[in-house]
Amino acid sequence: MQNRTTLRSCSRAFSALLLMTLIGFPWATAHGQARQFPDTRHGIHIFYDQPPYSLTAEQRDFLANHYVGCQKIPLDLVNAIRAYNDDFMVLNYRLAFGTYENLAAYLVGNDWVNDWDVVDPHTDWFITDAASPNPGGRIMQQDWGWYLMDISGEANGNTTAGWKEYWASSVVDQLRSTNCDGVFADSHCFPWNLDYTPSWLLPPDDVVWIHHMEVFGNHALTHLHNQPEHFYYVPNVGPWITSRDTTDYGAFVDGVMVEMFGSPGPWDLYDIEDWKLQMNRLLDLERRDKVVICQAIVEDEWAGLERMYSLANYLLIKGERTYYNLVFGESFWGRLIFFPECTVELGAYQSGIPLDIDDLWVPSLGVYERQYENGRVLLNPTWNPVIVPLDCEYHAIDVADLVDDPQIDIGEDGVFNDSLAFVTVSGSVTVEAKGGMILLQTLEFDCRDFQLGEASPDLRAYPVPSRGPTTISCLLPAAHEDARVGIYDLGGRRLCALPLPQSSGRHEAVWDGRDEQGCPVSAGVYLCSLESSQGLMPSASDASVLILSQ
């Protein structure tokens, strides 16, 4: 009777999950051919740069449901995070215009690898000059130690079997090996700080590099989109404030990451015209329905004004697929963190994406302003404080409290302990030099309740398909002395049971692909369910999942 009860519940779940799972591994989802970057009109959507690799199940749950995605993580972690949110976006890192001789520069599966042995013999893949001090006249980028490549093939005349063809083909293999959705193509901009610069790459002649970037980008985008997975192409375009760089990225990318978003770094500001140029270029991409990842620099958790300025920049230009990406100082390495100000509920922006950043300039206030359903955002990108008159009473984030004993680390229990405090303001407010301010009309949220999308599923298996051990993640709603995960074949026969801890909460069980007698099962489709001696657990009655084992 117990098995029949379980299987009736499994059958109810089977029809709902079969389509998602069979067409959904390892990259496609119920959305269609590729995972979709989520709509960002409501809320603050954060893209993590590179999370720590060693995370507890609870921390992975937190990451999956508080961030829209990340980059630079190995296959096992990709699958483990997606056990809690299958829509979690992952980009795999790859240097676009260069290659390293010694550094393990990109991920394949779970390993950081180097392809120098493959690339080195192809002398016509490199940009060279007889006056260069390097062997073969190759040219090195001095900050990071990589060699500059002939990205279009036109410098050396190899336009059909050169660097761009190799790069795009090997990136596809790399993305498949890591179950990633696309590539983050790093340093996709003008070459800088070379140990020797050929005359044709010196300003102002270096504008010729624009053509080479466009040839490379068009080939990469076409090759990635022609794959069944329809991989994304998202280059890092640097700060993008060079006026002579007129590259039309919107013609050959799915989106961009812009570095030094809003400012060149802590306690520094762009010249106002450079700031406007960066903002207007991003607004143009947003109007063309491109992904925009805004990478801001935060020195440490006590930089409250810096955090508010970066966030206000993001909210000022946010479109339908615009993401906030924080890069931290060395003190943040190896820590899973979350900032409470990113939970502020402003609602949707009230007007569309402006044609020009100056459309948001309000002369009577002396600041840039954008209206939201539940308030407004003020930004002052200058070194002079501005007093702004207010038309009514608002609630502003208390920056002093923001940095008073910040608790931004997500511990092993996956619990976020920080909070937001607000001050009521009326009459006028001072927007500090290099300042941002978020003014709310109502306060009806708790930052510790923030979560993207729905709550974590009760039961999920990964990886799918599995060619080895399968990890089953489950949420035990209450303590049970004999909780377990049951594994069944499609004929209703129980193959084995995996015991779970007695305590409530998030747990994981690993199935080695064997039945209770220790015999390997054959390749096929299997079902699992969360149960106890009393039968299927009520909260999991429609949460059984599908496993492919080989």
Side-chain angles (χ1 to χ4, degrees), residues 120-372:
D120 179 43
H122 296 273
T123 57
D124 62 349
W125 290 6
F126 293 79
I127 293 290
T128 60
D129 193 287
S132 169
N134 300 304
R138 295 174 181 180
I139 295 170
M140 179 177 287
Q141 204 285 332
Q142 296 184 97
D143 292 336
W144 300 102
W146 47 261
Y147 287 104
L148 184 65
M149 310 306 288
D150 181 4
I151 60 174
S152 69
E154 296 178 6
N156 294 319
N158 187 349
T159 60
T160 59
W163 172 252
K164 70 180 185 296
E165 289 79 18
Y166 165 75
W167 189 91
S169 177
S170 62
V171 161
V172 167
D173 293 339
Q174 175 189 357
L175 297 179
R176 286 177 177 155
S177 77
T178 52
N179 283 1
C180 286
D181 302 291
V183 61
F184 172 76
D186 199 13
S187 300
H188 198 297
C189 53
F190 277 36
W192 78 102
N193 199 19
L194 304 175
D195 62 357
Y196 176 81
T197 304
S199 59
W200 64 278
L201 286 178
L202 289 171
D205 295 335
D206 59 349
V207 294
V208 70
W209 191 253
I210 296 171
H211 167 72
H212 295 277
M213 288 196 293
E214 291 173 344
V215 171
F216 180 92
N218 275 293
H219 177 81
L221 182 76
T222 300
H223 190 75
L224 292 172
H225 282 194
N226 282 344
Q227 306 307 312
E229 303 90 337
H230 195 87
F231 292 120
Y232 293 104
Y233 183 55
V234 183
N236 174 6
V237 299
W240 210 10
I241 60 170
T242 303
S243 58
R244 71 181 185 280
D245 179 6
T246 58
T247 308
D248 182 15
Y249 281 102
F252 61 84
V253 302
D254 293 301
V256 303
M257 173 184 280
V258 61
E259 291 182 313
M260 303 180 191
F261 171 69
S263 76
W267 322 119
D268 201 357
L269 271 180
Y270 287 125
D271 175 84
I272 191 64
E273 294 305 317
D274 288 341
W275 176 82
K276 289 182 182 181
L277 182 61
Q278 186 188 77
M279 297 298 121
N280 282 329
R281 285 173 164 174
L282 298 179
L283 290 172
D284 174 69
L285 290 181
E286 289 177 346
R287 290 194 301 272
R288 297 163 74 173
D289 195 31
K290 302 298 181 181
V291 169
V292 172
I293 302 175
C294 304
Q295 187 184 80
I297 300 173
V298 177
E299 187 173 22
D300 56 47
E301 53 263 62
W302 291 277
L305 290 175
E306 292 285 334
R307 286 160 55 180
M308 291 303 300
Y309 179 75
S310 298
L311 185 58
N313 271 274
Y314 167 78
L315 293 168
L316 193 69
I317 69 161
K318 181 163 70 94
E320 294 185 15
R321 292 195 294 168
T322 311
Y323 307 92
Y324 189 42
N325 175 238
L326 297 178
V327 173
F328 317 115
E330 293 184 7
S331 63
F332 288 93
W333 291 356
R335 299 163 60 188
L336 180 66
I337 63 175
F338 188 77
F339 287 136
E341 63 267 27
C342 293
T343 66
V344 167
E345 293 186 5
L346 275 168
Y349 46 81
Q350 293 293 78
S351 57
I353 301 169
L355 294 175
D356 190 282
I357 193 64
D358 277 341
D359 293 342
L360 300 177
W361 171 255
V362 184
S364 61
L365 302 180
V367 295
Y368 289 85
E369 178 188 38
R370 196 175 191 192
Q371 299 281 347
Y372 278 77

Side-chain angles (χ1 to χ4, degrees), residues 490-504:
L490 294 183
R493 181 172 66 95
R494 190 168 85 173
L495 302 175
C496 64
L498 310 175
L500 294 170
Q502 296 183 14
S503 61
S504 62

Side-chain angles (χ1 to χ4, degrees), residues 61 65 83-85 451-458 460 475 506:
D61 191 348
N65 290 291
Y84 304 100
N85 177 8
Q451 181 165 285
L452 290 173
E454 299 178 355
S456 303
D458 282 352
R460 185 166 242 159
L475 181 63
R506 176 68 59 184

